[in-house]
Amino acid sequence: MRVLGLETSCDDTGAAILDDGRLIAHVVESQDVHVTYGGVVPEYASRAHITLLPRVLEATLAKAGASLESIDAVAATVGPGLVGSLLVGLEFAKGLAMARGIPFVGVNHVEAHLVSPGLENELPYPFLGMVASGGHTEIYHVERPGSVRRLGSTRDDAAGEAFDKVGKLLGLPYPGGPHVDRLARLGRADAIDFPVAKLERGTLDVSMSGLKTAVKLFVEREPKPISEERVRDIAASAERAIVAALVERLEEALDRHPSRALAISGGCACNTLLRAEAARIAAKRGIPSLVPSPPLCRDNGAMIGYAGWLSLTRGEMTPLTVNAVPNLDSFQASNPAP
Ligand code: KG4
Ligand code: ZN
């Protein structure tokens, strides 16, 4: 079955073609307009999707050597995300499905990140998955396809927001995550003792706001201009604190929930230290650490097509009356008691 996947939930326009869950081609266009504003401007994002989506689709078809007529089903993000952005991809996909008389499947963006390591590796069940992106930081136990239990999430900011905030405080371009990563490789992670949030015993939640405040206060107190060497040390020390908070919870989750793999996804899964730490804690337990290649960690149409294909193989389709759900949360919350 050939599936077209479309992603427009935030500021990346993505399309992909998959044959029986195998990625054939994908294209992502990131919107530069937001760099000027230091964050995503929703109105500009939806307008840019309108212009970019037909181009991205055409480029994807060309790359795959496929025609629109060869597509058997269309998958698109239903939520969570920015309502205007979601609507562009969703209505486009529904229109295509209606015109061609082929199935449509609506996809949860977070669930797509969660299963995205399956694009490049066989996902053994049960597995422990973490989605760490600009909008989400959540830990899940996936018992079998479609059976997902959320174990913990962030109490305040997402990990990506924390990286981006550190970047902003250091005067780096938006989004700051990749820049903090680059500078951290040149700095000393033990130079500054930024706090790793301590929450109550037993919880698998994380908190990032304390660290954000600590970095803000530290930067404010530093003599200006801050030297390049100091900026690298701040980047490395802040990165260490963010990653330590995530890794502590992952280790605890792995101890409590037997898993045959550790799967990390979302934009922050591009982070060099997080990738290394995930590999370390997985190896300690004799299980593989499955982390997508960087372009598939960030928002893309491939993960939407893949999650859509998994749904279709379970016989799930979505009626064309479905609307965008900006705050979609289809996963059951279940924080284990201490
Ligand atoms: O998954 P994604 O592309 O979009 C959302 O769904 O949010 O994630 C974007 C986030 C941004 O906060 C960005 O700074 C962060 O992922 N990010 C990184 C790295 N690359 C992207 N954070 C840390 N290190 C990186 N190398
Ligand atoms: Zn995302």
Side-chain angles (χ1 to χ4, degrees):
M1 181 196 292
R2 176 165 284 186
V3 176
L4 169 68
L6 299 178
E7 157 61 27
T8 65
S9 69
C10 191
D11 61 339
D12 292 305
T13 314
I17 290 170
L18 297 91
D19 280 346
D20 292 329
R22 199 168 51 86
L23 181 60
I24 304 300
H26 84 113
V27 174
V28 182
E29 282 262 6
S30 295
Q31 305 173 359
D32 301 333
V33 56
H34 311 289
V35 176
T36 329
Y37 299 93
V40 178
V41 184
E43 177 63 29
Y44 287 148
S46 48
R47 283 196 230 170
H49 284 305
I50 292 172
T51 318
L52 289 172
L53 190 52
R55 283 211 317 247
V56 167
L57 174 58
E58 224 167 89
T60 308
L61 288 169
K63 213 167 158 182
S67 67
L68 213 45
E69 288 67 43
S70 70
I71 306 296
D72 301 310
V74 192
T77 312
V78 166
L82 301 169
V83 67
S85 291
L86 288 166
L87 280 171
V88 176
L90 184 60
E91 296 306 315
F92 191 100
K94 282 161 44 178
L96 203 58
M98 189 186 275
R100 292 269 341 279
I102 55 176
F104 166 76
V105 59
V107 171
N108 181 315
H109 180 89
V110 182
E111 184 169 4
H113 273 303
L114 183 64
V115 297
S116 64
L119 278 162
E120 293 166 308
N121 289 285
E122 179 119 356
L123 269 178
Y125 293 88
F127 71 88
L128 191 90
M130 181 174 72
V131 179
S133 70
H136 299 271
T137 301
E138 281 149 27
I139 298 176
Y140 296 97
H141 195 237
V142 187
E143 268 126 63
R144 54 183 182 281
S147 172
V148 179
R149 195 154 69 102
R150 184 167 60 202
L151 304 174
S153 57
T154 179
R155 297 255 173 104
D156 34 60
D157 298 328
E161 271 179 285
F163 273 114
D164 294 344
K165 182 75 192 192
V166 170
K168 199 169 186 171
L169 289 165
L170 294 176
L172 305 171
Y174 175 86
H179 300 283
V180 171
D181 187 347
R182 180 176 47 79
L183 291 171
R185 307 281 68 76
L186 307 166
R188 293 171 302 149
D190 59 357
I192 305 142
D193 193 17
F194 289 128
V196 178
K198 290 270 173 273
L199 298 176
E200 70 277 11
R201 264 172 68 86
T203 183
L204 291 173
D205 287 347
V206 293
S207 166
M208 296 284 158
S209 62
L211 169 80
K212 212 173 69 176
T213 311
V215 177
K216 182 171 181 283
L217 293 174
F218 187 89
V219 168
E220 277 170 7
R221 286 191 201 121
E222 275 294 285
K224 309 288 179 309
I226 305 178
S227 72
E228 272 181 34
E229 189 189 348
R230 198 67 172 149
V231 166
R232 292 178 197 145
D233 285 349
I234 298 171
S237 302
E239 179 192 72
R240 179 199 51 77
I242 295 171
V243 171
L246 301 176
V247 168
E248 268 179 22
R249 293 301 179 273
L250 286 174
E251 291 225 79
E252 201 160 334
L254 284 170
D255 287 344
R256 283 198 236 155
H257 300 274
S259 304
R260 294 181 55 215
L262 173 63
I264 313 284
S265 51
C268 297
C270 294
N271 182 264
T272 311
L273 181 63
L274 180 57
R275 294 174 85 92
E277 282 290 279
R280 182 182 64 80
I281 63 171
K284 216 160 80 179
R285 289 164 175 80
I287 58 171
S289 158
L290 305 177
V291 189
S293 50
L296 295 175
C297 289
R298 295 186 285 266
D299 288 351
N300 63 81
M303 66 180 194
I304 303 302
Y306 184 67
W309 174 74
L310 289 176
S311 297
L312 288 163
T313 58
R314 295 195 294 267
E316 296 164 13
M317 274 171 54
T318 309
L320 294 178
T321 48
V322 70
N323 208 342
V325 189
N327 55 357
L328 180 66
D329 180 5
S330 66
F331 300 118
Q332 197 195 343
S334 97
N335 263 320

